[in-house]
Amino acid sequence: MATVGARVLAIESSCDETACAVTTGSRVEASVVASQIEVHARFGGVVPELASRHHLGSIVHVVREAMARARLAKLSELDAIAVTEGPGLVGALLVGVQLGRALAAAASLPIVGVHHMEGHLFSAVLGDDRQAARPFEPHLALLVSGGHTELALVRGLADYVILGATRDDAVGEAYDKVAKMLGLGYPGGPVIDRLAGDGDPGAILFPRAMLDQDNLDFSFSGLKTAVLTRLEKHGEPGSREELCDLCASFQAAVVEVLVSKTVRAQRATQAKSVHAVGGVAANRGLRSALARAAGERGFSFVAAEPRYCGDNAAMIAAAAAARIEAGLVLGVDVHSNRTLEDARVSVRGSRASVD
Ligand code: KG4
Ligand code: ZN
């Protein structure tokens, strides 16, 4: 398949992954991710100060590696530089943004700031040499990560409506906190997912928050407290079997809520396609439950490839390429907590798409 689109080098440093990628449109030429998991694991979560310091130490190496893997000798072979401008840890974001600015200035290339969650939306359309990249078409997105849990209607590029969101903890945060309670380390999602595969999801009935409410919002702090209360009452799981049952029961509660609300949103919007993106979209239980719901209800379902669910720069590059093609390019403006809907502000001071 012929490749179309701008060739972009992107840098992502919003949290605890130092990443650089080169894509042409949404076809990935190189994607390098240096994880800081080991740095933060002993603290049970991300320490912002340490994150910035480690980004500084590894970012140049990561950019060089991405250039080499994409067989790029010079920056002038690119059409643009992209960076994640937020949301995220400000100190961490600044490392990527400053290097991006320097590279763009040195090679006289335009710089494109990308909203981190808009990047996650593009993770579902990424492809490599073997798999052709998919087009970015209107869909319903379930965005599930360590900092976000949202259902968004993607009406087109830079045209996003948040239909529902968590009122307290993000779902990934709930996984991480429950894993911490169980002494399973950080990040909690992958290990709980693995253990859940060997457990009985019906062993313990954990609460399904807000299921009976007629909205598309979520809440996960009650579930986290329910796990804590269970541990206080019954003590730590005494065997691997008990641990697996607890993980499976926790995951069943999470998945049931996420799938029910996603199905409700699909019904309300009549979206033909549902995408799952973000770190938690790598969850095997969630992926199979959403695929089953899609089959039963006749909508198509796309989950980002597991390697592109977590933070990476390929998704940032692909989002930037789409914006370049559509003429919706901004410059960079570091921010720590703008919502996805703010990514609609596509030309400074004016809206790309207003109802
Ligand atoms: O998207 P991401 O890499 O970073 C943020 O932008 O937050 O998401 C990280 C989150 C963590 O909370 C991690 O525990 C969770 O994604 N996660 C998972 C799985 N893999 C990663 N949660 C559930 N199941 C998984 N397999
Ligand atoms: Zn993320």
Side-chain angles (χ1 to χ4, degrees):
M1 184 180 149
T3 317
V4 286
R7 195 179 206 191
V8 178
L9 179 143
I11 298 171
E12 152 68 45
S13 67
S14 64
C15 191
D16 60 347
E17 322 280 1
T18 314
C20 181
V22 177
T23 70
T24 301
S26 51
R27 188 176 70 82
V28 183
E29 292 182 49
S31 177
V32 180
V33 180
S35 176
Q36 299 179 4
I37 281 178
E38 280 172 22
V39 174
H40 303 285
R42 64 198 161 109
F43 301 102
V46 178
V47 182
E49 191 51 43
L50 287 178
S52 318
R53 213 181 298 160
H54 280 82
H55 284 312
L56 264 179
S58 54
I59 199 151
V60 171
H61 172 73
V62 168
V63 170
R64 284 216 173 103
E65 179 70 23
M67 293 272 294
R69 286 196 206 167
R71 296 194 170 80
L72 279 177
K74 293 185 299 252
L75 289 171
S76 56
E77 294 172 61
L78 295 160
D79 296 310
I81 302 287
V83 288
T84 302
E85 58 179 5
L89 306 169
V90 174
L93 286 164
L94 277 169
V95 175
V97 168
Q98 296 299 44
L99 180 60
R101 280 185 174 137
L103 295 177
S108 300
L109 291 170
I111 182 146
V112 185
V114 174
H115 190 288
H116 181 77
M117 299 314 288
E118 183 176 58
H120 273 297
L121 291 179
F122 273 82
S123 66
V125 302
L126 293 173
D128 57 23
D129 287 333
R130 279 154 283 136
Q131 187 206 333
R134 290 177 282 261
F136 189 72
E137 284 169 345
H139 63 273
L140 173 70
L142 175 66
L143 298 122
V144 277
S145 70
H148 291 80
T149 304
E150 282 157 15
L151 276 163
L153 185 62
V154 176
R155 299 193 292 200
L157 176 66
D159 191 358
Y160 314 121
V161 182
I162 295 174
L163 304 173
T166 183
R167 302 230 175 132
D168 40 57
D169 293 349
V171 61
E173 200 180 340
Y175 266 97
D176 294 338
K177 286 177 177 167
V178 166
K180 196 171 179 180
M181 287 176 211
L182 293 168
L184 296 175
Y186 172 85
V191 56
I192 290 183
D193 190 12
R194 222 165 27 243
L195 294 168
D198 293 339
D200 172 8
I204 307 160
L205 184 64
F206 285 123
R208 272 71 168 152
M210 301 183 69
L211 255 198
D212 51 353
Q213 289 184 24
D214 189 21
N215 58 40
L216 297 171
D217 287 342
F218 304 93
S219 164
F220 292 102
S221 78
L223 174 58
K224 178 191 67 192
T225 309
V227 175
L228 184 62
T229 308
R230 160 104 200 165
L231 293 178
E232 282 168 357
K233 234 191 232 166
H234 298 265
E236 302 282 318
S239 63
R240 187 175 188 277
E241 194 185 341
E242 274 180 41
L243 176 63
C244 291
D245 282 352
L246 194 143
C247 290
S249 302
F250 165 77
Q251 183 150 304
V254 168
V255 168
E256 186 178 336
V257 172
L258 290 175
V259 174
S260 301
K261 295 267 171 159
T262 304
V263 164
R264 202 179 290 176
Q266 188 277 330
R267 218 183 299 133
T269 57
Q270 288 296 299
K272 289 190 179 62
S273 173
V274 173
H275 294 188
V277 297
V280 183
N283 187 273
R284 290 178 302 175
L286 178 62
R287 293 169 86 93
S288 62
L290 282 171
R292 209 175 318 121
E296 284 164 12
R297 291 170 186 277
F299 58 86
S300 75
F301 170 62
V302 179
E305 276 183 46
R307 66 188 155 144
Y308 297 130
C309 285
D311 288 346
N312 65 85
M315 64 188 195
I316 304 300
R323 280 184 171 263
I324 290 167
E325 227 154 279
L328 298 175
V329 174
L330 296 167
V332 179
D333 186 11
V334 178
H335 58 85
S336 59
N337 58 5
R338 271 186 217 148
T339 74
L340 182 60
E341 285 182 349
D342 297 323
R344 294 176 68 186
V345 183
S346 296
V347 179
R348 290 265 178 269
S350 66
R351 295 221 156 216
S353 164
V354 181
D355 299 275

